[in-house]
């Protein structure tokens, strides 16, 4: 999360007739430049924007243009110090390591931004305990639409001050308070000002230590939030006690497009409770129920309403301990979600012997772009069914089969899929027990011009591939012109000397204009190859990170 601070020199010093306001609010696109032109003024004739701000009832009146210029220069210096700039309607100070002194300077900046619509000060720990100084100025930025305060170590006093200030920004559409534990138990203090007709569209409360009482309050509030499109309550395990109230409230949020309940302690009973709400969420595009390990068995009798989500594009059920009966029930539902673009069933190991029918019917999802099914203990029959279905997934961009040992020695089953996958950008086959014949097959597919769009290729933890196999692969990887990341690392317990194939890899890298990352952990380079790599590092004209030999 660290971010290097940088200083940027002030621009336009050779143009004395241009107000400092224009430099301060310099945009980055054509629209921004147009707005900047509207703000241009001479030193002797301040713009309407300046006059409007200077005469604000709460802004401190400036006795002269000189004082105004001085204030603007201080504000610009503050932003330059952080390597940031205010771009018209957006002030992004996310993860800037703001100090208490910086917070004071930022508060002084707000009166100069009456048209501000987006304020992001997330991931700045020193915000905690100082939010009152900001909320007291909220009436100066009443047009604010987006407020992000994630991971700011907010205190109880901060939370209360925020709740009182929210009514001063009636245009608010997005509120992010994630990773602030003091929000838990105090949610009513924050959201109590939201009334019927609120314009709020997005509420993110990830890992906020929400209590069951918070969940009950939220359930009662949801019917008032008719514009709500995104609700993220992930990593709040105690809200499961008030899931009935939340589900009841969800029935009134017909415009909801994203619902995230990742790692919320959901149980088998929770599926039935949520299922009753799904029929009212016809606009839902993304549903995340992942990492709820007690969910297993919940879909056996209650997936019926899931099929009502006709517009669903993303379904994430990874690490939900799905049972064979769950898979059987989902087999009747998932293939009917014709708009599905992303499906994640990974880390459900009981799928291995029971998902043949489900995987076979994935052929009925023509819009599927991402299929993540790693670590599912697939068996020969289920992998064969998947391979046959994947031929029909022409839109596939992400295919993750990692940690399924049955792939090893059987990659030929995916031959037609690899040849026909014109859009594939990410292919992950980590720890699949691949053998030399598998990488030779992959090399031949690459050589014949297939997989031309591939950007990320993960072949790590396949230690059974001999040097001859790596040689064949490295001789052909140069044809993947759009490749950005390649990983051929060994398992943590295994170290091996690099063979002569390393020279072929170095040559291939010179032919790959986009490559930036090559994972080679635990491959040991002999002294001669170390020298070759050093010469390569000195000669290359772009940054490529080799991670090898257990050291970086």
């Amino acid at each position: 999360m660290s971010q290097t601070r940088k200083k940027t020199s002030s621009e336009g010093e050779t143009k004395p007739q241009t107000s400092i306001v224009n430099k301060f609010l310099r945009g980055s696109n054509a629209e921004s430049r147009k707005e900047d032109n509207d703000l241009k003024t001479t030193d002797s004739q301040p713009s309407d924007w300046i006059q409007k701000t200077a005469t604000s009832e709460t802004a401190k009146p400036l006795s002269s243009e000189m004082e105004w210029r001085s204030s603007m220069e201080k504000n610009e210096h503050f932003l330059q110090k952080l390597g940031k700039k205010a771009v018209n309607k957006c002030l992004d100070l996310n993860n800037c390591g703001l100090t208490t002194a910086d917070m004071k300077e930022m508060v002084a900046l707000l009166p100069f931004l009456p048209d501000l619509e987006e304020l992001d000060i997330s991931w700045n720990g020193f915000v905690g305990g100082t939010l009152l100084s900001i909320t007291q100025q909220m009436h100066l930025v009443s047009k604010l639409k987006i407020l992000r305060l994630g991971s700011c170590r907010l205190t109880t006093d901060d939370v209360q001050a925020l709740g009182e200030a929210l009514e001063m920004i009636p245009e608010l559409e997005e509120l992010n308070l994630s990773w602030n534990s003091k929000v838990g138990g105090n949610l009513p203090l924050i959201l109590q000002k939201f009334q019927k007709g609120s314009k709020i569209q997005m509420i993110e409360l990830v890992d906020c230590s929400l209590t069951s009482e918070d969940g009950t309050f939220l359930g009662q509030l949801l019917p008032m939030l008719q514009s709500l499109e995104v609700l993220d309550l992930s990593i709040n395990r105690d809200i499961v006690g008030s899931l009935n109230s939340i589900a009841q409230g969800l029935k009134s949020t017909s415009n909801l497009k994203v619902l995230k309940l990742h790692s919320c302690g959901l149980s088998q009973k929770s599926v039935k409770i949520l299922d009753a709400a799904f029929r009212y969420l016809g606009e839902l595009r993304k549903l995340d129920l992942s990492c709820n390990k007690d969910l297993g068995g919940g879909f056996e009798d209650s997936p019926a309403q899931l099929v009502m989500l006709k517009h669903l594009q993303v379904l994430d059920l990874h690490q939900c301990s799905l049972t064979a009966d769950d898979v059987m029930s989902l087999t009747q539902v998932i293939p009917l979600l014709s708009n599905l673009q992303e499906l994640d069933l990974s880390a459900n190991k009981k799928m291995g012997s029971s998902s043949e029918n489900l995987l076979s019917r994935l052929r009925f999802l023509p819009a599927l772009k991402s299929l993540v099914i790693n670590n599912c203990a697939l068996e020969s029959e289920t992998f064969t069914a998947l391979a046959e279905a994947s031929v029909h997934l022409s839109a596939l961009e992400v295919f993750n089969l990692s940690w399924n040992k049955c792939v090893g020695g059987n990659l030929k089953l995916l031959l037609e899929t690899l040849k026909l996958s014109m859009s594939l950008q990410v292919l992950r086959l980590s720890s699949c027990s691949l053998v030399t014949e598998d990488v030779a097959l992959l090399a031949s597919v690459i050589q014949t011009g297939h997989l031309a769009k591939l950007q990320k290729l993960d072949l790590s933890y396949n230690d059974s591939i001999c040097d001859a196999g790596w040689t064949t692969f490295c001789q052909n990887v140069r044809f993947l012109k759009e490749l950005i990341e390649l990983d051929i690392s060994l398992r943590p317990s295994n170290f091996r000397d690099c063979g002569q194939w390393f020279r072929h890899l170095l040559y291939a890298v010179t032919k790959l204009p986009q490559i930036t990352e090559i994972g080679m952990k635990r491959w040991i380079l002999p002294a001669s190859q170390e020298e070759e790599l050093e010469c390569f590092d000195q000669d290359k004209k772009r940054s490529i990170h080799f991670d090898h030999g257990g050291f970086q």
Side-chain angles (χ1 to χ4, degrees), residues 199-373:
K199 296 182 180 180
I200 194 75
Q201 296 178 14
M202 180 182 298
I203 298 177
E204 294 178 288
L205 300 170
V206 179
D207 197 11
C208 283
S209 301
L210 298 184
T211 64
S212 180
E213 291 74 16
D214 290 328
T216 299
F217 166 78
L218 184 61
Q220 297 168 350
L221 178 67
L222 286 175
M224 299 183 187
L225 310 181
Q226 292 298 302
S227 298
L228 192 65
E229 295 183 0
V230 178
L231 179 61
D232 192 348
L233 303 176
S234 298
I235 320 180
N236 289 289
R237 299 185 65 84
D238 290 339
I239 64 170
V240 70
S242 54
L243 193 61
N244 273 308
S245 177
I246 295 174
Q248 189 65 31
L250 287 173
K251 293 179 181 180
S252 301
T253 56
S254 57
N255 291 314
L256 196 68
K257 291 181 172 60
V258 178
L259 177 60
K260 296 183 180 181
L261 296 172
H262 163 90
S263 191
C264 281
L266 303 184
S267 63
Q268 294 181 2
K269 183 180 178 181
S270 302
V271 180
K272 298 178 181 179
I273 295 173
L274 290 171
D275 192 58
F278 288 153
R279 62 180 298 184
Y280 299 93
L281 302 178
E283 296 299 316
L284 201 66
R285 302 298 198 270
K286 181 173 184 176
L287 177 61
D288 184 355
L289 301 177
S290 62
C291 294
N292 288 289
K293 295 182 179 180
D294 295 329
L295 207 63
F299 287 102
E300 293 179 11
D301 303 314
S302 304
Q305 300 302 327
L306 194 62
V307 77
M308 302 296 291
L309 305 179
K310 297 293 186 181
H311 298 291
L312 196 66
Q313 297 176 354
V314 180
L315 178 59
D316 192 344
L317 296 174
H318 83 264
Q319 202 170 345
C320 283
S321 302
L322 297 180
T323 65
D325 289 334
D326 286 329
V327 174
M328 186 179 299
S329 295
L330 290 171
T331 300
Q332 309 302 317
V333 175
I334 291 179
L336 298 178
L337 302 174
S338 58
N339 288 304
L340 202 63
Q341 297 181 13
E342 299 180 24
L343 177 61
D344 191 342
L345 299 172
S346 58
N348 288 293
K349 294 188 176 181
K350 292 184 180 180
M351 283 186 56
S353 58
S354 61
S355 58
E356 183 175 350
N357 289 334
L358 172 59
L359 298 180
S360 178
R361 295 185 183 183
L362 293 182
R363 69 184 66 207
F364 299 118
L365 300 176
L368 200 63
K369 294 182 178 181
S370 175
L371 178 57
V372 182
I373 196 167

Side-chain angles (χ1 to χ4, degrees), residues 343 345 351 355-363 368 371-374 376 378-393 396 399-402 404 406-407 413-414 417 429:
L343 177 61
L345 299 172
M351 283 186 56
S355 58
E356 183 175 350
N357 289 334
L358 172 59
L359 298 180
S360 178
R361 295 185 183 183
L362 293 182
R363 69 184 66 207
L368 200 63
L371 178 57
V372 182
I373 196 167
N374 57 287
C376 283
L378 296 183
E379 297 180 357
S380 178
E381 293 78 8
T382 49
F383 177 57
T384 300
L386 174 62
E388 293 175 352
S390 63
V391 175
H392 302 277
L393 304 178
L396 206 60
F399 199 8
N400 190 339
L401 286 168
S402 295
N404 287 294
C406 66
V407 178
L413 296 176
L414 290 176
T417 299
L429 299 170

